[in-house]
Amino acid sequence: MAYDFSSLSKLLAPETVAVVGASANPIRIGGRPISSMLKAGFKGTILPVNPNRDEIQGLPCYKSVADLPGNPDSAIVAVPAVDVIPVIEELGKKGCGCVTLFSAGFAELGDQGRDLQVKLIETVKRYGIRLLGPNTLGAFNALNGYYGTFSSSLDSGYPIPGNIGIASQSGAYGTHLFAVARNRGLGASVLVATGNEADITVGDAIGWMAQSDEVEVICAYLEGFNEPDRLLEALELAREARKPVFVMKVGRSTLGAAAAQSHTATLTGDDAVADAVLAEYGAIRVDQTEDMLDFAYCAHQRIYPSNNTMGFITISGGGGIVASDEAETLGLSMPPMPEDAQKELKELLPISSPVNPLDATAQAINEPSLMEKFTRAALDKGGYTSICGFFTSVGGAPVLVPSVIEALKPIRQEYPDRLMVLCVVAPPDIVKQYEEAGFLVFEDGSRAVRAIHAMGIVGDNFAAAAAGKAPQQALPVVDLPKDTPDEFQSKALLAAAGIAAAPEVAAKTKEEAVSAAEEIGFPVVMKVLSPDILHKSEIGGVRLNIGSAEDVAVAYDALLDAAKTHAPKARVTGVLVAKQLDGGTECFLGVNRDPAFGPVAAFGLGGIFVEILNDVVIHRCPFDEATARKMILSIKGSPILTGARGREPVDIDALAAMLSKLSAFAAAAGPRLKSIDINPVMAMPGSGGAFMLDAVVETDTGLEGDSHGD
Amino acid sequence: MAYDFSSLSKLLAPETVAVVGASANPIRIGGRPISSMLKAGFKGTILPVNPNRDEIQGLPCYKSVADLPGNPDSAIVAVPAVDVIPVIEELGKKGCGCVTLFSAGFAELGDQGRDLQVKLIETVKRYGIRLLGPNTLGAFNALNGYYGTFSSSLDSGYPIPGNIGIASQSGAYGTHLFAVARNRGLGASVLVATGNEADITVGDAIGWMAQSDEVEVICAYLEGFNEPDRLLEALELAREARKPVFVMKVGRSTLGAAAAQSHTATLTGDDAVADAVLAEYGAIRVDQTEDMLDFAYCAHQRIYPSNNTMGFITISGGGGIVASDEAETLGLSMPPMPEDAQKELKELLPISSPVNPLDATAQAINEPSLMEKFTRAALDKGGYTSICGFFTSVGGAPVLVPSVIEALKPIRQEYPDRLMVLCVVAPPDIVKQYEEAGFLVFEDGSRAVRAIHAMGIVGDNFAAAAAGKAPQQALPVVDLPKDTPDEFQSKALLAAAGIAAAPEVAAKTKEEAVSAAEEIGFPVVMKVLSPDILHKSEIGGVRLNIGSAEDVAVAYDALLDAAKTHAPKARVTGVLVAKQLDGGTECFLGVNRDPAFGPVAAFGLGGIFVEILNDVVIHRCPFDEATARKMILSIKGSPILTGARGREPVDIDALAAMLSKLSAFAAAAGPRLKSIDINPVMAMPGSGGAFMLDAVVETDTGLEGDSHGD
């Protein structure tokens, strides 16, 4: 832990930059960075390296790395793949701290390139060099004029200074984001494209931005999760620094995942896990560029209201209805104005509808002061943390703009902590006037509402983080057996971690079974016990509703017969006799191992809810009971647990405790744990508890072809 | 039927327009239309009417309507509400065909205004005048320079000529749509804002546009449904004319519906019904302005591929992944390129990924001809009906644009029936160059994919309509009883319409009950029969699993007792004895009367699916079996019916027949039918049929306080 992100300063704020493979041609890959930095007035020293030149683009050129004066902070390397490692060696010997490697021909090519990438990684590690790439479009930092990139997107213009940073696995998509941002007038000053991520990942870039003075808002584009621990630490740092991270994690669809794999050989992973982990760390996941840049635009003012409420002031009833629909869909609260404030506004303008949305009607066209009065009332009397004024083309009419701005500007200054958005249909110069007066401007009302909602989520995430983390979950000691445990052993393992089973006894003989049933009390359930039979009911290995000692004896024989007939090779260790629990609600608790994020716990209702409706919630392990409770209540079918249709609510406390304990068990069990299936768990009404009725713990036995007799 | 929409030509293409309440001040409500028309070069004659002036804005002014020469096609009236009816009378006497009434002070004010509006409607009807308004912002038609509106949105610019028409209930939102469209460069030439809709509705405007030569793409904004029949006829006409209708039907949320009611006193209705009806008529419902204008922009080229497939050509792997995610979410098909075509492209550019998305990589920056070759391959070999080229800032780089356009332009001409979209990040002048070459241009890939998907839906709707309507559903003869029918009568009514019940007998004595059970065969179900008890199981009025004659006798007494105890005032007509059907799947079929669209049928699975998950599909009555089958298969829980988890599929043919027959019954029953609840229907496995087990037909008895003993 406590990963050192500051080493990226050599990449993004170098004093001396060598360019190995420098070109005199300003549009060639080895010429673009030099030309871009010269044009942008890079504050450091550029040291071109090219054996065939004495001078490049007006700068003195060095024959080799060895000839360089002093030790460059950073180097940009644009030489053929075969020449890369010797160059890196030389740079290492020179004490260079960071290399940006444009060259392709590494892991993205498949097996052969992968070997070269492994050697490359060994080399940079040996010299303590941080490596961006290979196969990267590079990085830039407009604030000091560093342009270590060959992106042609700079041909249409340099970045606008501002506090937005972009971290992207894909160079082309990263520069797409940058170009769209720049054309919208957004200040995205820092960009890091990570390419093959042999060393520096998107997580590193986020971590550096989280600690930098320059970046306040982070936009990230990810296809998969390399070095997940580093990413999570970076997200944590960003949250602590109150810097929102907007993440496009792409490849959520089957087709998108396949395209991602052919693009950068990245496995996108389980999308639901990505969703859960990003939410856990307070990152805001977005599906499209437009949302990301809308949110980043809003965020650049750094106003993040928690418990966000929106007051919507409009001169078009329609605009208010559209906004209300959008807000309610998102769950953005729009409480009504207080009664007395409504009365005052109604007196001021009898045809108005001053509830929320506050409709000042087209009368505001004749009297722009109405816009100001309604807006002020929303802030003062309504107390909304965010306001949005929908003034459409009226707010863009050149004759009206000066009086509107004059009326609204003092409000912006009086309520500095409120988020203030205006919707106007206006040419860019008029939009700029509103922005200079301190307002965020959208043309589209729905987009404005989505952005306001997102700022509230950011605010809530920051507030929750500031309120302190949940205490570290105490983990049980888990000692997984060497072989795959059978049901009884599985339950015993889980029970040792505090997960309750219905009273049950493993019987090795018919007599033991009968006396166990008598002790437990009828009716009982009986199941065949075998580590080799995972799905017992499919072979007739489960008997319900057994009401007497005689029936226990009959069932015992029947179960052993069933096993002999349907799974002749299975090792049968006995029969399980358990109390039959009736009247509860069947739930499903499980754990799966995610390749990036380790064990992930799942909760759902039994049967169709999981299998047909996919109504499941997941969370990285471990987590506390409060989190477990939130998870349980978040599923669509949760009314079944909380008392829908006149049912008695089930024991959600017990369920939450069980889910949290399961998560601790999974976290403690280590990488040999493959999965856990507790299905069903019977959640009893009232405070009757929750009990596992069946459990399968699957471990990695290191054996191939281990089919578990299934 | 066959409503006459052509009378709106007097509104939108008048030769003479009187302006009553004309003002010399070009920014006053009575001055703006004159000033706007003069500036725009209106092709007809403007006749100002004002008793105090001889001349207005350079035109001769008339003292009164009576003084007007000839009979004006149309009149714009901007006088105080109290003066309106006398003015209309005079206009009527003059033979004026259409009035645009700006004046407010009618139904939007509540009761008093409503009376005045009723008188207004009587007056226009008497003279056969078509009325736009009152309380309307007016209408315009840029194609002949008619601007019968006082909207200030024209201050920032006149419409761009084009084939988009806007029909909006809200004047302010309609002109917002117009202003946004104009600023985007979209040609929206015709706008009709209907205000209070005392006569002309959004449906009228859509109908006129459907028949006009000028409008090819219709954008509609609706808060509620006035004159629903007219709207549906207009939508039908638009579909026949292959003109897409994009509809913002707002007020879908509770808050939005409340805002709509305070805005125009419009009840928004059940949003699910709006969804179902708009889909039935092939209108495309959108939730936000941006989608509406994106779709209208695409539609203006009038290319609507049915069975749409998209080939996505990209120079950024990331762009392809984002697009694939969006397409899969929407259900837009992106089949892979044929193997041989992939091979050819791979030979052309070994680092490419020519599947779909077709990634030509950043190499296309150096060789723009690659964009052309990949695009051509997608059209020719891939055969995609739509293609999208994601060229981001590379496609916007001034040095590259001429060669990209030169390479792509011939393709546009060779494949005139394909939808072709480019995603470029470029300034407006470059975008215009692509558009002039025949390409649709988006900056954002996700928005491009959504628009391409929408054009495919339009194409499918047109293709389905062209394939011919379903034959008119034969309706049964339904004779609803005077009083609310009891369960037995309800089932008998439905059975007469072909809806099968399980074998059952209504017994009036214990002896009848026993012999009925013996005839039907055990086990049977018994229920108390009473028109006053709707929810029998809640009072213990249902007995299941009755296996013998003795048990029938016992149950008979118990049921009568239960009724006596829990519903002492209920009229008990006997006991129903029915065959108990086991092993089927419980479904719910129902009908509710929508205030705008009449009876609407609903289908869902029983229990939690309807009550907790709201997994219900609805459709306006009547509809055929094919439609019913599509409905049944569209619910989320449909795998339960089609054989999920190893079940035998249920008899969906029988369910579809029952649902269709129910819809015919409801359509035939007339307005006295309030609702029908067939719950449960037991759908049996295989071809075992589907049977109603319980049914409630609720009729309007015209009595108040009729609580049905519930």
Side-chain angles (χ1 to χ4, degrees):
Chain A
M1 271 300 187
Y3 190 84
D4 176 21
F5 294 107
S6 68
S7 54
L8 265 69
S9 292
K10 298 243 170 176
L11 171 69
L12 289 161
E15 291 187 5
T16 48
V17 184
V19 180
V20 186
S23 169
N25 183 339
I27 68 163
R28 291 204 60 180
I29 186 169
R32 271 194 189 270
I34 299 171
S35 137
S36 296
M37 286 192 267
L38 289 174
K39 272 193 230 157
F42 173 52
K43 289 173 186 157
T45 309
I46 306 166
L47 305 168
V49 178
N50 183 326
N52 309 316
R53 298 257 178 185
D54 293 328
E55 174 262 305
I56 275 183
Q57 299 189 39
L59 299 170
C61 181
Y62 300 86
K63 298 287 174 204
S64 71
V65 170
D67 291 346
L68 288 172
N71 49 341
D73 284 341
S74 181
I76 293 162
V77 175
V79 300
V82 289
D83 299 332
V84 163
I85 291 190
V87 167
I88 303 266
E89 294 263 3
E90 285 192 75
L91 285 165
K93 286 175 194 154
K94 270 280 177 187
C96 174
C98 184
V99 167
T100 295
L101 185 53
F102 290 166
S103 314
F106 293 84
E108 81 280 4
L109 289 190
D111 287 340
Q112 197 200 342
R114 208 170 290 127
D115 290 346
L116 193 57
Q117 187 159 320
V118 169
K119 274 186 211 147
L120 172 66
I121 293 172
E122 282 167 9
T123 310
V124 295
K125 281 218 169 125
R126 195 158 66 243
Y127 291 100
I129 293 173
R130 295 306 310 265
L131 175 70
L132 183 67
N135 191 26
T136 175
L137 215 85
F140 65 68
N141 183 355
L143 298 159
N144 57 9
Y146 172 71
Y147 286 92
T149 174
F150 62 96
S151 170
S152 64
S153 65
L154 296 169
D155 294 357
S156 332
Y158 278 79
I160 296 162
N163 61 5
I164 298 169
I166 297 170
S168 175
Q169 211 173 330
S170 161
Y173 212 80
T175 50
H176 172 68
L177 290 171
F178 153 67
V180 175
R182 180 198 59 207
N183 288 13
R184 278 184 60 168
L186 296 188
S189 293
V190 179
L191 179 141
V192 180
T194 53
N196 284 14
E197 300 204 333
D199 171 24
I200 293 173
T201 63
V202 166
D204 285 285
I206 294 173
W208 183 84
M209 293 176 190
Q211 295 180 322
S212 89
D213 295 332
E214 296 145 2
V215 177
E216 298 288 353
V217 178
I218 301 167
C219 294
Y221 170 95
L222 285 166
E223 292 176 10
F225 295 104
N226 296 322
E227 304 291 343
D229 289 345
R230 218 184 285 171
L231 174 68
L232 296 186
E233 199 178 327
L235 292 177
E236 188 71 52
L237 280 175
R239 180 162 59 178
E240 280 167 14
R242 292 181 64 84
K243 300 185 182 181
V245 184
F246 303 108
V247 179
M248 280 183 86
K249 161 68 183 66
V250 301
R252 67 178 194 268
S253 64
T254 315
L255 192 59
Q261 210 181 344
S262 84
H263 180 217
T264 47
T266 303
L267 290 170
T268 53
D270 181 336
D271 196 66
V273 174
D275 244 5
V277 171
L278 291 171
E280 182 187 346
Y281 279 80
I284 306 289
R285 187 169 181 186
V286 293
D287 285 336
Q288 50 180 342
T289 306
E290 185 166 272
D291 284 340
M292 175 134 91
L293 295 182
D294 281 355
F295 299 174
Y297 166 63
C298 258
H300 91 279
Q301 286 194 340
R302 304 177 64 195
I303 300 172
Y304 308 115
S306 60
N307 296 316
N308 195 18
T309 57
M310 176 173 74
F312 197 88
I313 301 98
T314 177
I315 59 162
S316 148
I321 303 166
V322 173
S324 302
D325 282 350
E326 187 73 36
E328 192 166 306
T329 303
L330 294 167
L332 169 57
S333 173
M334 288 180 65
M337 288 285 284
E339 300 271 346
D340 56 336
Q342 288 189 33
K343 217 178 133 210
E344 278 173 36
L345 292 172
K346 199 86 188 168
E347 276 163 19
L348 182 69
L349 182 65
I351 59 163
S352 73
S353 169
V355 188
N356 190 16
L358 292 84
D359 186 359
T361 78
Q363 188 61 26
I365 303 172
N366 300 326
E367 293 179 55
S369 73
L370 285 170
M371 294 182 194
E372 183 255 329
K373 283 172 184 150
F374 275 69
T375 305
R376 187 179 290 280
L379 289 160
D380 183 22
K381 306 285 175 59
Y384 305 113
T385 52
S386 301
I387 55 122
C388 184
F390 187 83
F391 301 149
T392 174
S393 55
V394 173
V399 290
L400 297 173
V401 171
S403 56
V404 175
I405 289 182
E406 196 189 343
L408 294 178
K409 201 172 176 176
I411 298 181
R412 175 66 281 185
Q413 285 150 3
E414 279 171 54
Y415 298 89
D417 62 332
R418 312 289 179 94
L419 196 61
M420 296 192 191
V421 176
L422 301 181
C423 296
V424 293
V425 182
D429 60 312
I430 289 180
V431 169
K432 206 167 176 196
Q433 290 179 46
Y434 284 109
E435 288 181 333
E436 282 168 0
F439 294 93
L440 296 160
V441 180
F442 283 85
E443 185 180 83
D444 190 88
S446 304
R447 282 170 63 179
V449 172
R450 281 199 294 278
I452 290 169
H453 173 64
M455 295 309 102
I457 302 288
V458 170
D460 289 341
N461 288 345
F462 289 165
K469 285 187 218 180
Q472 192 84 33
Q473 190 81 358
L475 299 189
V477 176
V478 175
D479 193 12
L480 289 183
K482 250 187 141 169
D483 295 324
T484 292
D486 67 17
E487 178 185 343
F488 188 74
Q489 291 169 318
S490 291
K491 282 186 188 162
L493 275 168
L494 294 166
I499 294 167
E504 65 181 18
V505 173
K508 289 207 185 335
T509 65
K510 199 186 291 185
E511 291 66 36
E512 279 182 30
V514 168
S515 73
E518 280 168 343
E519 195 173 310
I520 288 167
F522 295 100
V524 295
V525 180
M526 291 172 65
K527 303 181 199 176
V528 69
L529 270 181
S530 164
D532 303 318
I533 303 173
L534 285 187
H535 297 281
K536 300 174 182 69
S537 50
E538 286 170 18
I539 63 146
V542 180
R543 298 278 168 133
L544 304 174
N545 265 324
I546 300 168
S548 68
E550 296 73 47
D551 289 349
V552 170
V554 172
Y556 189 91
D557 291 335
L559 288 170
L560 293 195
D561 272 2
K564 213 170 280 169
T565 312
H566 299 287
K569 293 186 186 161
R571 292 161 289 166
V572 173
T573 53
V575 162
L576 193 71
V577 181
K579 179 144 189 81
Q580 178 160 332
L581 293 169
D582 291 317
T585 301
E586 291 194 359
C587 300
F588 159 83
L589 275 72
V591 171
N592 260 303
R593 183 156 208 89
D594 182 79
F597 298 106
V600 174
F603 173 82
L605 288 170
I608 51 156
F609 280 91
V610 170
E611 293 176 38
I612 292 177
L613 302 171
N614 198 25
D615 185 21
V616 175
V617 58
I618 65 174
H619 199 288
R620 216 170 54 99
C621 300
F623 48 84
D624 64 6
E625 285 185 32
T627 302
R629 169 177 274 275
K630 270 186 221 154
M631 289 169 65
I632 292 165
L633 295 178
S634 76
I635 63 168
K636 288 196 199 81
S638 66
I640 300 217
L641 300 171
T642 54
R645 307 179 75 199
R647 288 156 169 263
E648 192 180 351
V650 307
D651 191 342
I652 290 182
D653 289 343
L655 267 183
M658 185 186 275
L659 184 55
S660 169
K661 280 173 183 158
L662 175 66
S663 77
F665 175 91
R672 274 191 56 232
L673 177 69
K674 282 172 73 179
S675 71
I676 304 173
D677 240 39
I678 315 186
N679 191 11
V681 163
M682 194 63 89
M684 302 305 288
S687 54
F691 304 95
M692 58 176 163
L693 299 195
D694 198 352
V696 179
V697 174
E698 222 187 338
T699 58
D700 193 341
T701 55
L703 299 172
E704 289 205 348
D706 179 13
S707 73
H708 304 290
D710 191 14
Chain B
M1 270 301 188
Y3 189 83
D4 177 21
F5 294 108
S6 68
S7 54
L8 264 72
S9 292
K10 298 242 169 177
L11 170 69
L12 289 162
E15 291 187 7
T16 47
V17 184
V19 180
V20 186
S23 169
N25 183 340
I27 68 164
R28 292 205 59 180
I29 186 169
R32 271 192 189 270
I34 298 170
S35 137
S36 296
M37 285 193 267
L38 288 175
K39 271 192 231 155
F42 172 52
K43 289 174 185 155
T45 309
I46 306 167
L47 305 168
V49 177
N50 184 325
N52 308 317
R53 298 260 179 181
D54 293 328
E55 174 261 304
I56 275 183
Q57 300 189 37
L59 298 170
C61 182
Y62 299 86
K63 298 286 173 204
S64 71
V65 171
D67 290 345
L68 287 173
N71 50 340
D73 284 341
S74 182
I76 293 161
V77 175
V79 299
V82 289
D83 299 332
V84 163
I85 290 188
V87 165
I88 303 266
E89 295 262 4
E90 285 192 75
L91 285 166
K93 285 175 194 153
K94 269 280 177 187
C96 174
C98 184
V99 167
T100 295
L101 185 54
F102 290 165
S103 316
F106 294 84
E108 82 281 3
L109 289 190
D111 287 339
Q112 197 200 341
R114 208 170 289 127
D115 291 345
L116 193 56
Q117 186 159 320
V118 169
K119 274 188 211 144
L120 172 66
I121 293 171
E122 283 167 8
T123 311
V124 295
K125 281 219 171 125
R126 195 160 65 245
Y127 290 100
I129 293 173
R130 296 306 310 265
L131 174 70
L132 183 67
N135 191 26
T136 175
L137 215 87
F140 65 67
N141 183 356
L143 297 159
N144 57 8
Y146 172 72
Y147 287 91
T149 174
F150 63 97
S151 170
S152 64
S153 65
L154 296 170
D155 293 358
S156 330
Y158 278 78
I160 295 162
N163 61 7
I164 299 170
I166 298 170
S168 175
Q169 210 173 332
S170 160
Y173 212 81
T175 50
H176 172 68
L177 290 172
F178 153 68
V180 175
R182 180 198 58 207
N183 288 12
R184 277 183 62 167
L186 296 188
S189 294
V190 178
L191 179 141
V192 180
T194 53
N196 284 14
E197 300 203 333
D199 171 25
I200 293 174
T201 63
V202 166
D204 284 286
I206 294 173
W208 183 85
M209 292 176 190
Q211 295 180 322
S212 89
D213 295 332
E214 296 146 2
V215 176
E216 298 288 353
V217 178
I218 301 166
C219 294
Y221 170 96
L222 286 165
E223 291 176 11
F225 296 105
N226 296 323
E227 305 290 344
D229 289 344
R230 219 184 285 171
L231 174 67
L232 297 187
E233 198 177 327
L235 292 177
E236 187 72 51
L237 280 175
R239 180 161 60 177
E240 280 167 13
R242 293 181 63 83
K243 299 184 182 181
V245 184
F246 303 108
V247 179
M248 280 184 87
K249 161 67 184 65
V250 302
R252 65 178 195 267
S253 64
T254 316
L255 193 58
Q261 211 181 343
S262 84
H263 179 218
T264 46
T266 302
L267 290 169
T268 53
D270 181 336
D271 196 64
V273 174
D275 244 4
V277 172
L278 291 172
E280 183 187 345
Y281 278 81
I284 306 289
R285 187 169 181 186
V286 294
D287 286 335
Q288 50 181 341
T289 307
E290 185 166 272
D291 284 340
M292 176 134 89
L293 295 182
D294 281 356
F295 298 174
Y297 166 62
C298 259
H300 91 277
Q301 286 194 339
R302 305 177 64 195
I303 300 172
Y304 308 114
S306 60
N307 295 315
N308 195 17
T309 57
M310 177 174 72
F312 196 89
I313 303 99
T314 177
I315 59 162
S316 147
I321 303 166
V322 173
S324 302
D325 283 350
E326 187 73 37
E328 193 165 305
T329 303
L330 295 167
L332 169 57
S333 172
M334 287 180 66
M337 289 285 283
E339 300 271 345
D340 55 336
Q342 289 191 33
K343 216 177 135 209
E344 278 171 37
L345 292 173
K346 200 84 187 170
E347 276 163 20
L348 182 69
L349 182 66
I351 60 164
S352 73
S353 169
V355 188
N356 190 18
L358 291 85
D359 185 358
T361 78
Q363 187 62 27
I365 303 172
N366 300 327
E367 292 178 57
S369 72
L370 285 171
M371 295 182 195
E372 183 255 328
K373 283 171 185 150
F374 275 70
T375 305
R376 187 179 290 279
L379 289 161
D380 182 23
K381 305 285 176 59
Y384 305 114
T385 52
S386 301
I387 55 123
C388 184
F390 187 82
F391 302 147
T392 174
S393 56
V394 174
V399 290
L400 296 174
V401 171
S403 56
V404 174
I405 288 182
E406 196 189 343
L408 295 178
K409 200 171 175 176
I411 298 180
R412 176 66 280 185
Q413 286 149 2
E414 278 171 56
Y415 297 89
D417 60 333
R418 312 289 179 93
L419 196 62
M420 295 192 191
V421 176
L422 300 181
C423 295
V424 294
V425 182
D429 59 312
I430 289 179
V431 169
K432 206 166 176 197
Q433 290 179 46
Y434 283 110
E435 288 180 334
E436 283 168 358
F439 295 93
L440 296 159
V441 181
F442 283 84
E443 186 180 80
D444 190 87
S446 305
R447 282 171 64 180
V449 171
R450 281 200 294 279
I452 290 169
H453 173 64
M455 295 309 102
I457 303 288
V458 170
D460 289 341
N461 289 346
F462 288 166
K469 286 188 214 177
Q472 191 83 32
Q473 190 81 356
L475 299 189
V477 176
V478 175
D479 192 13
L480 290 182
K482 249 185 142 175
D483 294 324
T484 291
D486 65 18
E487 179 186 341
F488 187 75
Q489 290 169 318
S490 291
K491 282 185 187 162
L493 275 169
L494 294 167
I499 293 168
E504 65 181 19
V505 171
K508 291 210 185 327
T509 66
K510 199 187 292 184
E511 292 67 36
E512 279 181 30
V514 169
S515 73
E518 281 169 341
E519 195 173 311
I520 287 167
F522 294 100
V524 295
V525 180
M526 290 173 66
K527 305 181 199 175
V528 68
L529 270 180
S530 165
D532 302 317
I533 305 172
L534 284 189
H535 297 280
K536 299 174 182 69
S537 50
E538 286 170 17
I539 63 145
V542 179
R543 298 277 168 135
L544 305 174
N545 265 323
I546 300 170
S548 67
E550 295 74 47
D551 288 350
V552 170
V554 172
Y556 189 92
D557 290 337
L559 287 170
L560 293 196
D561 272 2
K564 212 170 280 171
T565 312
H566 299 286
K569 292 187 186 161
R571 293 162 287 167
V572 173
T573 53
V575 162
L576 192 71
V577 182
K579 179 145 191 78
Q580 178 160 331
L581 292 170
D582 291 317
T585 301
E586 289 193 1
C587 301
F588 158 83
L589 277 70
V591 170
N592 260 302
R593 182 156 209 91
D594 183 79
F597 297 106
V600 173
F603 173 82
L605 288 170
I608 51 157
F609 279 91
V610 170
E611 291 174 40
I612 293 178
L613 302 171
N614 197 24
D615 185 20
V616 175
V617 58
I618 64 173
H619 199 288
R620 215 171 54 100
C621 299
F623 47 83
D624 63 6
E625 284 186 33
T627 303
R629 169 177 274 275
K630 271 188 220 151
M631 289 168 66
I632 292 166
L633 296 178
S634 75
I635 63 169
K636 289 197 200 80
S638 66
I640 304 232
L641 300 171
T642 53
R645 307 179 76 200
R647 288 156 168 262
E648 192 180 349
V650 308
D651 191 342
I652 290 182
D653 289 342
L655 269 182
M658 185 187 275
L659 185 54
S660 168
K661 281 172 183 158
L662 174 66
S663 77
F665 175 90
R672 274 192 57 232
L673 177 71
K674 280 171 75 177
S675 70
I676 305 173
D677 240 38
I678 315 186
N679 191 12
V681 163
M682 193 63 89
M684 303 305 288
S687 53
F691 303 95
M692 57 176 163
L693 299 194
D694 198 352
V696 179
V697 174
E698 223 188 338
T699 57
D700 193 340
T701 56
L703 298 174
E704 287 202 352
D706 177 14
S707 74
H708 305 290
D710 190 13

